[in-house]
Amino acid sequence: MEWIRISSNKLKIMLSAEDARRYALNCETADYADPVTREAFREILTDVRQKTDFDAAEDKIYIQMYPSKEGGCELFVTKVGLLLSEHGQHTSNAPKHPKAAKMTSISQKRHAAMRFSSCTSLTALCRRLQGHFKGESEVWQDESGAWWLCLCDHGNPLLLSKEFPFLAEYGTPANAAHARLWLPEHGKRLCAMNAIETFSKL
C-alpha cells in the first residue's frame, strides 16, 4: 500500500491487487452499503493512520474509488468539513463525482479480530476485557490450531487501539474483514455469544 498526501484534508491511497485481496476489497463490486466494504475502508484508514499523520477519526469522510490497471485500486479520501453558507445553513464541501462512494461517518459499528497462538493468552485478554468491553464477542479456532477473538461494538474503529491499548500484548491484530470471510471456511466457532465473559472464567 502506498499513499500521497494531496492536502491537509485529502489523501490518495494506492492498493495493489494483493493489498485489495488482503483487505477483502473488490473494486468492481464494492458497495458502501455492504458491511464488508465498509469494514475494508475502516481497516485501510486505521493502517494509514498508524503510518501517517492523516487522522480521519473526528471527521466525516468522502471516498472516491477507482480500479487500477494492475488489478488493485486507488482511493481518494477527503475529510469533509462543514462550511457556513451565506444563508446561515451548513453545507458540505465534499467533492462531486458520479463514481464516488457515498460520504459517510466512520463512527458506527466497528469490528476487530485478534489471533492467539495459545488459549492461555486468549483467556488472559478476556479477563482483562471483562467488564470493560460492552460489545459482542466470538471465539474461533482455525484449522492450524490458532485461537481467534472477534469483537464487534459501536464506536470509532480508529480509536479502538486508544481505548484498549493492551490488545497487542496478548495476541496479533488481524484484518477483521478478512477474518470474517476466512474463519467460517477454515475454522470452527467455539463460542458464538458473550465469548469474553465465557472465556474469562476458564
Side-chain angles (χ1 to χ4, degrees), residues 116 118-127 138-140 147-149 170 199:
F116 306 85
S118 71
C119 186
T120 302
S121 298
L122 167 62
T123 55
L125 177 57
C126 288
R127 292 189 191 104
E138 298 179 347
V139 166
W140 294 71
W147 298 78
W148 292 76
L149 176 64
Y170 297 88
F199 277 74

mmCIF file of all heavy atoms in Angstrom, residues 116 118-127 138-140 147-149 170 199:
data_model
loop_
_atom_site.group_PDB
_atom_site.id
_atom_site.type_symbol
_atom_site.label_atom_id
_atom_site.label_comp_id
_atom_site.label_asym_id
_atom_site.label_seq_id
_atom_site.Cartn_x
_atom_site.Cartn_y
_atom_site.Cartn_z
ATOM 1 N N PHE A 116 -4.399 -15.708 18.384
ATOM 2 C CA PHE A 116 -3.593 -16.135 19.533
ATOM 3 C C PHE A 116 -2.977 -17.503 19.251
ATOM 4 O O PHE A 116 -3.631 -18.384 18.690
ATOM 5 C CB PHE A 116 -4.461 -16.239 20.792
ATOM 6 C CG PHE A 116 -5.234 -14.991 21.110
ATOM 7 C CD1 PHE A 116 -6.471 -14.752 20.517
ATOM 8 C CD2 PHE A 116 -4.719 -14.046 21.984
ATOM 9 C CE1 PHE A 116 -7.191 -13.612 20.801
ATOM 10 C CE2 PHE A 116 -5.432 -12.896 22.273
ATOM 11 C CZ PHE A 116 -6.669 -12.679 21.677
ATOM 12 N N SER A 118 -2.031 -19.460 21.662
ATOM 13 C CA SER A 118 -2.441 -20.362 22.745
ATOM 14 C C SER A 118 -3.729 -19.869 23.383
ATOM 15 O O SER A 118 -4.043 -18.669 23.357
ATOM 16 C CB SER A 118 -1.352 -20.453 23.814
ATOM 17 O OG SER A 118 -1.256 -19.242 24.543
ATOM 18 N N CYS A 119 -4.458 -20.792 23.987
ATOM 19 C CA CYS A 119 -5.699 -20.424 24.675
ATOM 20 C C CYS A 119 -5.396 -19.612 25.934
ATOM 21 O O CYS A 119 -6.211 -18.808 26.379
ATOM 22 C CB CYS A 119 -6.482 -21.685 25.029
ATOM 23 S SG CYS A 119 -8.116 -21.370 25.741
ATOM 24 N N THR A 120 -4.198 -19.798 26.493
ATOM 25 C CA THR A 120 -3.815 -19.077 27.705
ATOM 26 C C THR A 120 -3.814 -17.568 27.479
ATOM 27 O O THR A 120 -4.331 -16.798 28.297
ATOM 28 C CB THR A 120 -2.424 -19.527 28.182
ATOM 29 O OG1 THR A 120 -2.440 -20.932 28.426
ATOM 30 C CG2 THR A 120 -2.020 -18.785 29.440
ATOM 31 N N SER A 121 -3.250 -17.140 26.340
ATOM 32 C CA SER A 121 -3.218 -15.710 26.016
ATOM 33 C C SER A 121 -4.624 -15.186 25.765
ATOM 34 O O SER A 121 -4.965 -14.066 26.165
ATOM 35 C CB SER A 121 -2.339 -15.467 24.788
ATOM 36 O OG SER A 121 -1.005 -15.853 25.032
ATOM 37 N N LEU A 122 -5.445 -16.003 25.114
ATOM 38 C CA LEU A 122 -6.815 -15.605 24.840
ATOM 39 C C LEU A 122 -7.600 -15.384 26.132
ATOM 40 O O LEU A 122 -8.263 -14.356 26.308
ATOM 41 C CB LEU A 122 -7.497 -16.678 23.986
ATOM 42 C CG LEU A 122 -9.023 -16.585 23.855
ATOM 43 C CD1 LEU A 122 -9.434 -15.294 23.172
ATOM 44 C CD2 LEU A 122 -9.561 -17.787 23.098
ATOM 45 N N THR A 123 -7.523 -16.338 27.038
ATOM 46 C CA THR A 123 -8.275 -16.209 28.295
ATOM 47 C C THR A 123 -7.752 -15.047 29.135
ATOM 48 O O THR A 123 -8.530 -14.374 29.819
ATOM 49 C CB THR A 123 -8.207 -17.511 29.104
ATOM 50 O OG1 THR A 123 -6.828 -17.883 29.309
ATOM 51 C CG2 THR A 123 -8.898 -18.648 28.367
ATOM 52 N N ALA A 124 -6.445 -14.795 29.083
ATOM 53 C CA ALA A 124 -5.881 -13.673 29.835
ATOM 54 C C ALA A 124 -6.442 -12.346 29.323
ATOM 55 O O ALA A 124 -6.779 -11.455 30.116
ATOM 56 C CB ALA A 124 -4.361 -13.681 29.733
ATOM 57 N N LEU A 125 -6.547 -12.210 27.994
ATOM 58 C CA LEU A 125 -7.117 -10.985 27.438
ATOM 59 C C LEU A 125 -8.602 -10.870 27.784
ATOM 60 O O LEU A 125 -9.084 -9.776 28.116
ATOM 61 C CB LEU A 125 -6.932 -10.958 25.923
ATOM 62 C CG LEU A 125 -7.550 -9.749 25.207
ATOM 63 C CD1 LEU A 125 -6.994 -8.437 25.757
ATOM 64 C CD2 LEU A 125 -7.329 -9.840 23.702
ATOM 65 N N CYS A 126 -9.323 -11.982 27.734
ATOM 66 C CA CYS A 126 -10.749 -11.946 28.071
ATOM 67 C C CYS A 126 -10.959 -11.487 29.510
ATOM 68 O O CYS A 126 -11.892 -10.731 29.804
ATOM 69 C CB CYS A 126 -11.372 -13.323 27.853
ATOM 70 S SG CYS A 126 -11.572 -13.774 26.110
ATOM 71 N N ARG A 127 -10.083 -11.933 30.406
ATOM 72 C CA ARG A 127 -10.201 -11.492 31.803
ATOM 73 C C ARG A 127 -9.985 -9.982 31.919
ATOM 74 O O ARG A 127 -10.621 -9.312 32.721
ATOM 75 C CB ARG A 127 -9.185 -12.236 32.671
ATOM 76 C CG ARG A 127 -9.470 -13.727 32.818
ATOM 77 C CD ARG A 127 -8.571 -14.377 33.851
ATOM 78 N NE ARG A 127 -8.670 -15.823 33.801
ATOM 79 C CZ ARG A 127 -7.767 -16.628 33.265
ATOM 80 N NH1 ARG A 127 -6.660 -16.124 32.747
ATOM 81 N NH2 ARG A 127 -7.949 -17.935 33.250
ATOM 82 N N GLU A 138 -16.890 -13.227 19.905
ATOM 83 C CA GLU A 138 -16.906 -14.618 19.484
ATOM 84 C C GLU A 138 -15.507 -15.193 19.593
ATOM 85 O O GLU A 138 -14.519 -14.464 19.425
ATOM 86 C CB GLU A 138 -17.372 -14.762 18.027
ATOM 87 C CG GLU A 138 -18.770 -14.288 17.751
ATOM 88 C CD GLU A 138 -19.144 -14.449 16.294
ATOM 89 O OE1 GLU A 138 -18.230 -14.690 15.463
ATOM 90 O OE2 GLU A 138 -20.332 -14.333 15.975
ATOM 91 N N VAL A 139 -15.409 -16.488 19.829
ATOM 92 C CA VAL A 139 -14.125 -17.192 19.825
ATOM 93 C C VAL A 139 -14.170 -18.276 18.758
ATOM 94 O O VAL A 139 -15.146 -19.029 18.655
ATOM 95 C CB VAL A 139 -13.810 -17.807 21.203
ATOM 96 C CG1 VAL A 139 -12.661 -18.818 21.090
ATOM 97 C CG2 VAL A 139 -13.421 -16.716 22.192
ATOM 98 N N TRP A 140 -13.099 -18.326 17.962
ATOM 99 C CA TRP A 140 -12.943 -19.320 16.907
ATOM 100 C C TRP A 140 -11.616 -20.046 17.096
ATOM 101 O O TRP A 140 -10.705 -19.532 17.746
ATOM 102 C CB TRP A 140 -12.928 -18.670 15.525
ATOM 103 C CG TRP A 140 -14.214 -18.029 15.106
ATOM 104 C CD1 TRP A 140 -14.766 -16.877 15.609
ATOM 105 C CD2 TRP A 140 -15.102 -18.475 14.088
ATOM 106 N NE1 TRP A 140 -15.934 -16.580 14.977
ATOM 107 C CE2 TRP A 140 -16.173 -17.554 14.031
ATOM 108 C CE3 TRP A 140 -15.102 -19.564 13.223
ATOM 109 C CZ2 TRP A 140 -17.218 -17.697 13.127
ATOM 110 C CZ3 TRP A 140 -16.146 -19.700 12.316
ATOM 111 C CH2 TRP A 140 -17.196 -18.776 12.275
ATOM 112 N N TRP A 147 -6.084 -19.693 17.952
ATOM 113 C CA TRP A 147 -7.322 -19.200 18.538
ATOM 114 C C TRP A 147 -7.587 -17.776 18.052
ATOM 115 O O TRP A 147 -6.664 -17.006 17.814
ATOM 116 C CB TRP A 147 -7.221 -19.218 20.058
ATOM 117 C CG TRP A 147 -7.021 -20.586 20.639
ATOM 118 C CD1 TRP A 147 -5.848 -21.298 20.671
ATOM 119 C CD2 TRP A 147 -8.000 -21.410 21.262
ATOM 120 N NE1 TRP A 147 -6.038 -22.521 21.275
ATOM 121 C CE2 TRP A 147 -7.364 -22.614 21.658
ATOM 122 C CE3 TRP A 147 -9.353 -21.257 21.539
ATOM 123 C CZ2 TRP A 147 -8.026 -23.637 22.300
ATOM 124 C CZ3 TRP A 147 -10.021 -22.280 22.183
ATOM 125 C CH2 TRP A 147 -9.364 -23.462 22.555
ATOM 126 N N TRP A 148 -8.861 -17.440 17.927
ATOM 127 C CA TRP A 148 -9.254 -16.118 17.443
ATOM 128 C C TRP A 148 -10.328 -15.516 18.340
ATOM 129 O O TRP A 148 -11.232 -16.220 18.792
ATOM 130 C CB TRP A 148 -9.823 -16.213 16.022
ATOM 131 C CG TRP A 148 -8.822 -16.589 14.980
ATOM 132 C CD1 TRP A 148 -8.292 -17.837 14.746
ATOM 133 C CD2 TRP A 148 -8.239 -15.725 14.009
ATOM 134 N NE1 TRP A 148 -7.422 -17.797 13.697
ATOM 135 C CE2 TRP A 148 -7.362 -16.508 13.224
ATOM 136 C CE3 TRP A 148 -8.377 -14.358 13.729
ATOM 137 C CZ2 TRP A 148 -6.631 -15.977 12.176
ATOM 138 C CZ3 TRP A 148 -7.643 -13.828 12.679
ATOM 139 C CH2 TRP A 148 -6.781 -14.630 11.918
ATOM 140 N N LEU A 149 -10.229 -14.227 18.573
ATOM 141 C CA LEU A 149 -11.266 -13.480 19.275
ATOM 142 C C LEU A 149 -11.767 -12.397 18.323
ATOM 143 O O LEU A 149 -10.985 -11.560 17.864
ATOM 144 C CB LEU A 149 -10.717 -12.838 20.550
ATOM 145 C CG LEU A 149 -11.686 -11.948 21.337
ATOM 146 C CD1 LEU A 149 -12.859 -12.774 21.874
ATOM 147 C CD2 LEU A 149 -10.965 -11.243 22.486
ATOM 148 N N TYR A 170 -1.365 -9.362 24.049
ATOM 149 C CA TYR A 170 -1.851 -10.730 24.216
ATOM 150 C C TYR A 170 -1.914 -11.521 22.913
ATOM 151 O O TYR A 170 -1.758 -12.741 22.913
ATOM 152 C CB TYR A 170 -3.240 -10.708 24.863
ATOM 153 C CG TYR A 170 -3.238 -10.125 26.254
ATOM 154 C CD1 TYR A 170 -3.386 -8.750 26.459
ATOM 155 C CD2 TYR A 170 -3.070 -10.935 27.371
ATOM 156 C CE1 TYR A 170 -3.381 -8.204 27.734
ATOM 157 C CE2 TYR A 170 -3.060 -10.399 28.647
ATOM 158 C CZ TYR A 170 -3.218 -9.041 28.818
ATOM 159 O OH TYR A 170 -3.208 -8.503 30.086
ATOM 160 N N PHE A 199 -14.922 -17.071 28.352
ATOM 161 C CA PHE A 199 -13.519 -17.464 28.436
ATOM 162 C C PHE A 199 -12.773 -16.788 29.566
ATOM 163 O O PHE A 199 -11.693 -17.252 29.954
ATOM 164 C CB PHE A 199 -12.831 -17.206 27.083
ATOM 165 C CG PHE A 199 -13.040 -18.311 26.080
ATOM 166 C CD1 PHE A 199 -14.259 -18.467 25.453
ATOM 167 C CD2 PHE A 199 -12.025 -19.216 25.802
ATOM 168 C CE1 PHE A 199 -14.479 -19.499 24.539
ATOM 169 C CE2 PHE A 199 -12.231 -20.258 24.897
ATOM 170 C CZ PHE A 199 -13.457 -20.392 24.265
#
